[in-house]
Amino acid sequence: MTAFPIGLTSIVTIQNMSVGETNDARSQERVLFVAPETGPGNAVTAIAHLAGYLKHHNWNPAVMIEKEGVAADLLRTHAIEFIIEPELLVDSECSPVRALASRFDLVVVNGIASEGAVRAALSQNVPVVWYLHETVADLRLVGATPQLQSALGQAHTILTPTRAIAEVLQPFAPEPIEVVPYGIPEVKAHAQTADRPFTFLALTADEPNHGRNILIEAINDLHPDLRWCALFQMAGVPLEKLSPDDFAALSASMPNLQLVLPKSRQEIVDLMSNADVVVCALLDEMLPIVLLEAMSMGKAIICTGVSEWLQDGRNALLVTPKDSRALAIALARCIADRDLVDALGTAAKQTFVEHFQLDVFGRRFVAIAEKTIGRAVKRTPADYGEWVELYETLGPADRSALRRQLNSLGRQPLISALLSLYNPDLALLAATIDSLKQQIYEHWELCIADDASTDTRVRPFLKKAAADEARIRITLREEKGQMAASSNSALVLATGEWCAFLDQDDMLAEHALAKIALEIDAHSEAGLIYSDEDKIDVAQKRSHPFFKTDWNPEFFFGENYVGHLAVYRTDVLRAIGGFREEFEGSQEYDLALRCIGRLESEQIRHIPRVLYHGRMVSGRAAEKPYATETARRAIADHLQREGIAGRAEACPGNIELHRVIYDLPDPVPRVDIVIHRVEGACAGKCAESIRNLTNYPSYEIAVANDRLQLNELATATTADIVLFLHADIIVINGDWLREMVSHAARPQVGAVGARLWRPDDTLQHSGYILGLGGVAGVPFTTASHGHAGFSNWTCGQRNCSAVSSACLATRAAVFRELNGFDNQNLTSNYQDIDLCLRAREHGLQVIWTPYANLVHDRANNDEEKNAEKQVAYQRDTAYMQERWGEELRNDPFYSPNLSLLLPGFELAFPPRWFLKDV
């Protein structure tokens, strides 16, 4: 059978090939295997065997591989069409798979490195089975790689050969992962050569996790009397740290140690046939094909991995990875006890028959493949409506699961929904009331205050509604007030422990109060709980989702982002006196500001689910023109009440939003500006721009030549504030430093970052999002002036998880308390992110302000990294993933409904809460 290099010729060949012509018309499923010749255990060999099995059972398989090798030889033996694509793992778009996928009923992707092939197949709406066989250690990168997480969420079916691997991956997979061990044809052992020594064969490969050096140490640990009783053969490439010459020298001192480099498949079989014991000195959990072949021959096995399928003393001897002494003891047991060797070999053969025969593997795979093809649907949502259908629309099983959760609660608090209305559209009001009646959580009451409606149909409607539903309570005001007064009338009716606010034509999701009740149970100390929201039209089409952040006090001063659904503890509402009529138009904002003054941050909870649907109807009253002014009065009143020196003004980027300008302490803090050199940048130009434009009265400039000196200067300063500035920063307005210091001087703030622009007036930095594109990323990096971004991201001050050291201010005392930048674990990257995360770990806020604007005239190119920098980058990335792994996956200031793939702020598929809920 011909191997076709990928290209037009191979595509035409695949299109026209007559694969799978059999006498059985039962099944003609076409399957494309994407199987690079890489990965632990050379799993592509198992894929080649599986393709042969499928063809024999009336499927139409084709295989895309990376190069010639054992797999190609097997495919020729089975007469399987295959394509050789040397760039299979290099092409990020996986164009060969994208070109061919639509011609198949199923694509089977082999290995985590083939994530691009998963995306390519899904882009053609072809169902995907992803077989992941990496070691548990290798799979740690999934937790900090959004691209891999996203692909895991999209693949229709995920298979792994061991439960240990499945447990690592399950949190990122929307469906239960299938554990399906490899299967191979039985390998017949040849008759053993006469007069041969007792032989150990160590099966190695060109990968660093086969523990070859551990094996050498174990042989050296053997008692000399035992060491010379056996022949030790190593079949594979030389040791990781030994050149061929070094290995020759080692062999000269140990004549019974041989390095064998088999040139063919048959030579490997011959070596295993002549061995008494096969050794796999693995460093991690994996399932190499050669081990299965040894088991099929009935060979005794010593192994440091795959404990799931091998039991110590029964069908193998298992030893701890990297423990050369334990491995030496296992070798000694085999040399001294030949009956044990025979018993282990017999049991290993039985294990193979039960679990690893090709027929067992093939039958399981066929069942899974047929199920995958049968249930496959387009899983990538085209728009928000389709996303809603997939993730925010409950089915019978979802409702049953919620009811079981609610029934298990120790107590079920009563929730009072407060509704103030005036001359409502009765059809829409009926829909609003129906959305309460349809709640899965039944412990609610609806408290309606009619604000003296002039429509004579309203009061009879309300009286009938109350008569039909005992949970509805009404009050009919005789004089018209406004929303504040009417809402207070509804509050008087409330008997529940919690109060939620509704508008007269909006709707609740059917699981809204259930999610609230579960949150109350999980966080009994809570005082305010809010959810995400969207819009709904008269045709019930949903749009304009507002995916909110967790509690973000600085952002809240810019706008009342809490909005709906907001649920307050009733005793807090009554303690503050309810709504204040003098703040009409922003009465809910004023109410929220007074409530948060009585709550700790931990008592304000966010549920990242779309539980509230605001009605989009023509003619709905526009926001009152005086609302922005009353909102700023409410903010000013809050600042005064809390003893915060500052004032509220209009946001320059959007006059409907608000900006809080904090007063400076008296005397003004002294600032040390530490310019740290950037490769190719000149500190003089930066310093000159500071001196020429900055109007702040008390600062000094110092220059750090390297990272060590940067820490030394900042730690030794006697100034109040230290501000780090890249040498390629240019100051463009006078009040930038005043703005930075006004935040950094606040006792609850640990770090402050600025809005940085490129010389072409596009946005360069607006605060980091953890997990975006990897460890952390910056969104809207091509936005121009005036572009607000999602939810006013680029134009309003807010809390965030981390800011850039290109311009970062902190109190000197905080910097010393945090022990400065981490130069020990982080050599070149992420020191600013790590510092900010440690500040937050100490209970301090990180603030990003758009009111300090500077130009970042990048003199160096981050994309042009030499090999040394790339190694440092990978090392620093590994440290950040280990130190901050959980935080990197759960940025509190970025919604789990939004993707962690760059550029960010696109729908997450699936949302990250979905992975936790299933």
Side-chain angles (χ1 to χ4, degrees):
M1 187 57 58
T2 305
F4 300 101
I6 195 66
L8 181 59
T9 302
S10 66
I11 293 174
V12 172
T13 302
I14 290 291
Q15 186 177 21
N16 296 323
M17 66 185 183
S18 56
V19 294
E21 293 181 357
T22 68
N23 295 324
D24 186 351
R26 176 190 63 80
S27 177
Q28 291 294 311
E29 284 89 348
R30 300 162 300 162
V31 184
L32 175 63
F33 289 92
V34 181
E37 192 93 21
T38 61
N42 198 13
V44 67
T45 304
I47 298 299
H49 285 308
L50 178 59
Y53 175 93
L54 292 178
K55 182 167 185 179
H56 182 70
H57 289 78
N58 307 317
W59 289 60
N60 300 338
V63 183
M64 184 179 292
I65 58 177
E66 196 176 14
K67 60 185 178 181
E68 287 282 358
V70 173
D73 293 340
L74 288 172
L75 292 169
R76 290 188 178 97
T77 300
H78 295 305
I80 303 294
E81 296 282 357
F82 67 94
I83 309 105
I84 292 179
E85 173 45 62
E87 303 297 310
L88 189 55
L89 296 180
V90 177
D91 182 357
S92 61
E93 296 296 318
C94 214
S95 304
V97 176
R98 193 178 297 271
L100 294 179
S102 61
R103 297 161 194 169
F104 292 85
D105 301 299
L106 181 70
V107 171
V108 181
V109 178
N110 179 56
I112 198 75
S114 302
E115 166 261 334
V118 174
R119 296 189 180 283
L122 290 169
S123 73
Q124 304 304 307
N125 298 323
V126 179
V128 173
V129 172
W130 200 0
Y131 202 172
L132 296 168
H133 48 71
E134 277 70 14
T135 69
V136 171
D138 289 341
L139 290 174
R140 290 173 184 163
L141 61 91
V142 173
T145 309
Q147 291 87 341
L148 291 176
Q149 294 177 25
S150 176
L152 286 166
Q154 295 181 61
H156 297 84
T157 302
I158 296 174
L159 307 181
T160 68
T162 69
R163 285 190 297 271
I165 298 173
E167 288 172 1
V168 173
L169 297 175
Q170 189 63 73
F172 308 104
E175 304 287 345
I177 291 177
E178 301 271 4
V179 178
V180 183
Y182 306 134
I184 62 171
E186 181 179 339
V187 180
K188 298 292 185 181
H190 306 310
Q192 292 182 333
T193 306
D195 300 325
R196 62 178 185 82
F198 188 81
T199 303
F200 292 92
L201 175 66
L203 300 170
T204 67
D206 58 347
E207 295 154 5
N209 54 7
H210 279 72
R212 292 179 287 264
N213 289 336
I214 302 298
L215 179 60
I216 291 293
E217 293 174 10
I219 296 171
N220 281 322
D221 282 345
L222 285 173
H223 190 280
D225 292 343
L226 292 176
R227 186 187 309 154
W228 297 105
C229 290
L231 173 67
F232 299 92
Q233 291 183 323
M234 299 185 68
V237 299
L239 303 176
E240 293 96 336
K241 297 182 180 179
L242 293 180
S243 68
D245 291 341
D246 293 332
F247 190 88
L250 179 61
S251 297
S253 64
M254 296 178 61
N256 59 336
L257 174 62
Q258 297 178 355
L259 174 65
V260 184
L261 302 176
K263 296 183 176 64
S264 68
R265 181 75 186 156
Q266 188 58 50
E267 289 185 27
I268 296 175
V269 172
D270 291 342
L271 286 168
M272 283 195 289
S273 293
N274 284 320
D276 295 280
V277 181
V278 173
V279 181
C280 279
L282 305 169
L283 301 185
D284 201 357
E285 184 84 13
M286 58 184 291
L287 193 64
I289 298 301
V290 286
L291 187 62
L292 303 187
E293 293 171 336
M295 295 170 69
S296 77
M297 291 182 178
K299 298 296 179 180
I301 292 171
I302 299 175
C303 188
T304 55
V306 206
S307 58
E308 184 171 322
W309 301 105
L310 300 178
Q311 298 178 15
D312 186 38
R314 179 184 175 276
N315 56 0
L317 294 182
L318 301 185
V319 296
T320 305
K322 302 182 182 180
D323 189 341
S324 60
R325 183 58 188 157
L327 182 55
I329 292 172
L331 296 174
R333 288 183 65 187
C334 291
I335 295 171
D337 190 346
R338 305 302 169 86
D339 291 339
L340 173 64
V341 171
D342 292 340
L344 292 175
T346 300
K349 177 64 175 286
Q350 183 60 35
T351 301
F352 172 83
V353 171
E354 293 176 0
H355 298 290
F356 301 116
Q357 287 192 94
L358 178 58
D359 191 53
V360 176
F361 183 33
R363 287 199 310 271
R364 289 204 61 191
F365 181 85
V366 166
I368 290 169
E370 288 178 339
K371 179 181 177 183
T372 302
I373 294 172
R375 73 175 182 179
V377 295
K378 182 178 179 183
R379 294 178 61 100
T380 303
D383 55 23
Y384 176 62
E386 193 168 344
W387 186 90
V388 165
E389 183 179 348
L390 285 170
Y391 302 118
E392 285 285 14
T393 302
L394 302 189
D398 301 311
R399 297 184 184 96
S400 295
L402 265 179
R403 289 190 177 100
R404 285 194 299 272
Q405 288 180 277
L406 293 170
N407 289 336
S408 69
L409 298 182
R411 64 183 190 88
Q412 299 186 339
L414 180 66
I415 300 174
S416 300
L418 308 187
L419 175 57
S420 169
L421 56 85
Y422 175 75
N423 288 345
D425 181 311
L426 294 182
L428 296 181
L429 176 60
T432 300
I433 295 174
D434 283 344
S435 76
L436 263 296
K437 292 180 178 180
Q438 293 165 8
Q439 288 298 299
I440 294 171
Y441 184 73
E442 298 178 344
H443 296 271
W444 56 265
E445 65 178 6
L446 176 58
C447 303
I448 302 176
D450 173 53
D451 195 20
S453 292
T454 57
D455 185 340
T456 57
R457 299 172 300 165
V458 172
R459 295 198 169 188
F461 176 93
L462 295 177
K463 291 176 180 179
K464 184 176 188 308
D468 293 343
E469 171 56 70
R471 292 173 294 182
I472 296 178
R473 313 178 70 193
I474 62 173
T475 183
L476 308 175
R477 291 169 54 86
E478 296 302 324
E479 295 184 3
K480 186 177 185 331
Q482 292 290 340
M483 282 294 296
S486 181
S487 296
N488 279 336
S489 296
L491 178 59
V492 170
L493 297 175
T495 63
E497 297 176 52
W498 291 79
C499 286
F501 298 100
L502 288 174
D503 283 345
Q504 65 188 28
D505 45 15
D506 294 345
M507 297 178 64
L508 292 180
E510 63 176 308
H511 55 302
L513 298 186
K515 289 295 183 182
I516 294 294
L518 291 171
E519 191 73 11
I520 292 170
D521 182 73
H523 301 278
S524 58
E525 78 289 352
L528 165 60
I529 302 171
Y530 63 96
S531 76
D532 294 351
E533 58 187 289
D534 63 9
K535 300 296 184 184
I536 191 169
D537 64 16
V538 292
Q540 305 303 303
K541 181 179 179 180
R542 290 167 55 183
S543 61
H544 299 82
F546 183 11
F547 297 132
K548 305 170 186 176
T549 80
D550 288 352
W551 177 237
N552 194 323
E554 208 64 34
F555 182 37
F556 188 65
F557 286 154
E559 61 176 298
N560 180 18
Y561 81 88
V562 167
H564 295 122
L565 176 67
V567 184
Y568 297 84
R569 246 187 16 233
T570 307
D571 59 353
V572 175
L573 293 179
R574 290 194 166 128
I576 64 172
F579 295 92
R580 296 195 293 184
E581 296 182 37
E582 62 266 35
F583 291 92
E584 185 67 41
S586 293
Q587 69 279 348
E588 286 193 21
Y589 195 10
D590 171 63
L591 182 87
L593 285 164
R594 286 182 290 131
C595 283
I596 66 172
R598 291 175 174 260
L599 301 174
E600 300 295 330
S601 294
E602 296 76 17
Q603 295 178 278
I604 305 173
R605 305 293 306 172
H606 168 225
I607 301 175
R609 303 292 297 272
V610 183
L611 304 182
Y612 190 93
H613 314 308
R615 182 71 67 175
M616 295 176 66
V617 291
S618 59
R620 185 170 186 172
E623 185 177 9
K624 299 176 178 64
Y626 51 83
T628 55
E629 179 56 35
T630 56
R632 286 175 198 138
R633 285 199 292 110
I635 296 171
D637 188 65
H638 172 82
L639 296 176
Q640 183 179 20
R641 188 168 53 247
E642 298 299 317
I644 301 172
R647 65 187 187 277
E649 295 184 353
C651 168
N654 183 342
I655 61 171
E656 299 299 320
L657 306 179
H658 323 296
R659 173 191 178 185
V660 171
I661 301 177
Y662 296 94
D663 292 349
L664 292 173
D666 186 15
V668 296
R670 189 162 60 85
V671 181
D672 264 3
I673 300 175
V674 181
I675 301 176
H676 44 117
R677 292 185 182 273
V678 179
E679 184 178 335
C682 175
K685 186 177 179 181
C686 174
E688 182 181 5
S689 72
I690 295 171
R691 296 189 182 99
N692 288 343
L693 288 176
T694 303
N695 56 26
Y696 189 81
S698 180
Y699 70 88
E700 295 180 358
I701 297 175
V703 177
N705 293 314
D706 55 41
R707 292 178 180 272
L708 289 175
Q709 190 180 24
L710 180 66
N711 256 4
E712 291 171 359
L713 287 172
T715 302
T717 183
T718 59
D720 304 294
I721 306 289
V722 59
L723 186 140
F724 302 98
L725 208 62
H726 273 198
D728 48 13
I729 289 286
I730 302 297
V731 172
I732 56 175
N733 56 49
D735 59 359
W736 71 278
L737 186 53
R738 188 232 178 260
E739 173 68 14
M740 298 288 287
V741 173
S742 72
H743 290 284
R746 296 160 58 197
Q748 67 268 41
V749 175
V752 184
R755 182 165 61 176
L756 306 179
W757 300 92
R758 297 185 183 89
D760 64 358
D761 280 343
T762 57
L763 189 63
Q764 195 268 339
H765 191 78
S766 58
Y768 286 113
I769 294 174
L770 300 180
L772 183 64
V775 169
V778 179
F780 305 116
T781 55
T782 60
S784 57
H785 283 279
H787 184 280
F790 181 91
S791 185
N792 300 304
W793 181 269
T794 67
C795 69
Q797 61 199 38
R798 51 184 164 75
N799 296 88
C800 62
S801 289
V803 292
S804 171
S805 61
C807 182
L808 185 155
T810 183
R811 293 192 304 284
V814 169
F815 190 78
R816 284 190 287 268
E817 181 182 355
L818 297 176
N819 296 317
F821 293 114
D822 186 346
N823 289 320
Q824 181 176 357
N825 298 301
L826 297 168
T827 58
S828 303
N829 309 274
Y830 309 126
Q831 290 183 326
D832 45 7
I833 297 172
D834 173 75
L835 181 76
C836 290
L837 291 177
R838 284 186 282 125
R840 295 193 64 242
E841 195 174 48
H842 280 64
L844 297 170
Q845 297 181 24
V846 176
I847 304 292
W848 178 81
T849 173
Y851 309 122
N853 289 274
L854 304 100
V855 171
H856 201 181
D857 188 7
R858 299 303 298 267
N860 66 320
N861 188 343
D862 284 345
E863 302 301 323
E864 297 177 0
K865 297 180 181 292
N866 58 34
E868 183 178 347
K869 288 183 179 179
Q870 196 65 33
V871 169
Y873 172 78
Q874 293 171 355
R875 181 174 58 246
D876 293 344
T877 298
Y879 172 77
M880 290 293 288
Q881 291 169 353
E882 181 178 356
R883 173 67 174 87
W884 300 107
E886 189 64 24
E887 285 82 356
L888 300 184
R889 292 187 287 272
N890 298 284
D891 190 324
F893 307 115
Y894 185 68
S895 172
N897 293 310
L898 297 171
S899 173
L900 287 175
L901 300 177
L902 290 168
F905 287 98
E906 297 176 348
L907 289 171
F909 185 87
R912 289 179 292 288
W913 56 257
F914 182 82
L915 299 177
K916 297 176 181 178
D917 285 357
V918 294

